[in-house]
Structures are given as structure tokens and as C-alpha cells.
Amino acid sequence: MIELVHFSKSYHSSPAVQDVSLHCASGRITGLLGENGAGKTTILRAVCAQHFATSGQVVVNGIDVAENPAAVRSLVGFVPEQANFPAEYTVRELLSMTAHLHGVQNVQKELSRIAELCAIGDVLAKKVRMLSKGYRERVAFARALIFNPPVLVLDEPASGLDPAQIVRMRALVTSLAPSHTILLSTHLMQEVDALCDEICILHKGRSVAQGTSEEIVRQTGTATLEEAFFKLTQGENK
């Protein structure tokens, strides 16, 4: 479970996110939908205890992020938009190191499980600098999942992937949903339609709509989620 309560975050007195409240339930995929700069990544990093609220509260599985960030980090697997891997590590070395850092007891067993889950068994011996974009994304998922966290946070998971890679990524995320709380960010309407049970539309750091796709369409009096999105985010510019 993830909960934001009147969450606001400012950088050098410039607000990035303002007064966002959001509930992400276990077993559900919640999507943050918004243009670049809408505040999506700011929220994701707060959930991962990479920074803290200027005001308000972020709670992960009942733990306040500001009060116990180390405990929250042990619960959250994070897949960044662009993963930075140590170039000279092999995939096996990278995942083993991550597992050890998180106190995984049987590293080889978990490595085998994750290699099969993320379909990376054929590249375990390769250096990460040699990987294609698609494999780098799979390894990023594997690194986030190697310690079996109950919460998964994904920053633009479809970014830079080709259509076949996107299909594989969606299948993996969907398979993980029943046993995880998943929060992802995207600016792609089709990603929301394909993956998300709940949606929070962000515009200039504020939540302008929340609910299922059907609920948001009904609330805005539009025919599609795309129309609803543009009505909510572009109306002031017309």
C-alpha cells in the first residue's frame, strides 16, 4: 500500500508537487499520467525515500517515509527511466551485489528465480555495458525484484522500448500485479489503458483527476481518456 497525504515538494522554494493525496492499493496498478514536468518523478522518488516531502506525508505499507526511510527502501523496488549500471559488472555480479546489499539469504536461488522471471538467463555472464536497451530494461526490473519487495515503482517503463519489448514489459508488470503494489509514471495514454487499474492525472504539480479510466471519462463528460486528459490539462490554453 502507498498513501500520499497532502503531499507537497518544493525545490529552492519552487513547487514541483502541490497538495497531492493518493491511495495505491495492494494488488492494483496505479498510474501517474501527465506531461513532462507534471510532477510524476518527484512523487515516485518520494515513495522510494530518495527525498522527502516539504509538507504532507508519504506512507508505504504503514511506514512513514520521513520517519524510517531505510525501512521503506527495503520494501520498494525501483525501476528508473534510465538505469545507471556499473559498466564493468556482469549482470550476474550486479544482481548478486544488489541481493547481498538487501540481505537476501539464498542469493543463487533468488538469482535463478529472477533470471527466469525477467528472461535474462542468456545474458547473466555479459557485462551490462554490452546489453541492448531491451535487455537493460529487463535487468533493471531484475535488480528491483531480486530482494522480493512488496512494492514496485516504475518510472516511464516503456521509454525507448520497441513494440515487442513493450509487450514483454507489460506482460511482466501484469504478472507481478496480484502480489505487489505497483505505482508507475507515464505520459503515454496507451500505457495507462494497457496496464493501470487506477489513474491519477497530474498537471503542473497538482492532481486534476483520479479514478479508473471510465470514472475519469464520466467525470469530465468526454468520450475517451485521451479527450479527458486534454480537457483537464490543455483547457486553459485554448
Side-chain angles (χ1 to χ4, degrees), residues 40-60:
K40 303 186 300 295
T41 299
T42 296
I43 289 175
L44 297 189
R45 288 177 177 167
V47 172
C48 295
Q50 294 185 3
H51 61 202
F52 305 101
T54 303
S55 63
Q57 188 181 30
V58 181
V59 178
V60 177

Side-chain angles (χ1 to χ4, degrees), residues 28-234:
R28 307 277 284 177
I29 302 174
T30 303
L32 301 177
L33 176 62
E35 299 169 318
N36 292 333
K40 303 186 300 295
T41 299
T42 296
I43 289 175
L44 297 189
R45 288 177 177 167
V47 172
C48 295
Q50 294 185 3
H51 61 202
F52 305 101
T54 303
S55 63
Q57 188 181 30
V58 181
V59 178
V60 177
N61 281 17
I63 301 172
D64 188 303
V65 171
E67 292 180 358
N68 198 342
V72 169
R73 292 183 192 116
S74 73
L75 297 173
V76 179
F78 179 47
V79 180
E81 182 178 1
Q82 295 185 347
N84 293 316
F85 300 135
E88 294 306 312
Y89 277 55
T90 66
V91 173
R92 185 185 301 277
E93 290 169 340
L94 175 69
L95 297 179
S96 295
M97 178 187 69
T98 303
H100 282 296
L101 287 172
H102 283 276
V104 174
Q105 295 299 309
N106 193 331
V107 173
Q108 290 308 310
K109 179 180 178 181
E110 285 303 296
L111 188 57
S112 297
R113 179 183 70 85
I114 288 300
E116 181 177 357
L117 179 66
C118 297
I120 57 170
D122 54 338
V123 298
L124 287 174
K126 280 192 174 184
K127 292 187 181 294
V128 292
R129 61 179 171 82
M130 303 296 294
L131 299 177
S132 66
K133 171 66 177 176
Y135 269 112
R136 288 180 70 87
E137 181 76 358
R138 290 190 227 176
V139 171
F141 269 89
R143 186 170 66 163
L145 292 165
I146 188 70
F147 58 101
N148 200 24
V151 178
L152 190 60
V153 173
L154 316 175
D155 194 0
E156 304 281 357
S159 178
L161 299 183
D162 65 34
Q165 292 164 348
I166 289 173
V167 170
R168 284 194 291 267
M169 180 275 296
R170 288 175 180 170
L172 175 58
V173 173
T174 301
S175 73
L176 293 167
S179 57
H180 293 78
T181 302
I182 300 180
L183 176 63
L184 66 85
S185 72
T186 184
H187 59 270
L188 302 174
M189 214 72 59
Q190 61 268 36
E191 210 59 43
V192 168
D193 282 335
L195 285 174
C196 296
D197 302 300
E198 306 283 340
I199 305 162
C200 172
I201 297 179
L202 295 170
H203 180 53
K204 294 183 177 180
R206 294 185 179 275
S207 172
V208 292
Q210 291 186 28
T212 65
S213 177
E214 293 79 8
E215 287 169 346
I216 292 173
V217 166
R218 187 167 61 250
Q219 291 164 13
T220 54
T222 54
T224 65
L225 181 63
E226 183 176 40
E227 288 181 13
F229 177 80
F230 283 110
K231 181 176 182 178
L232 290 163
T233 62
Q234 304 297 317

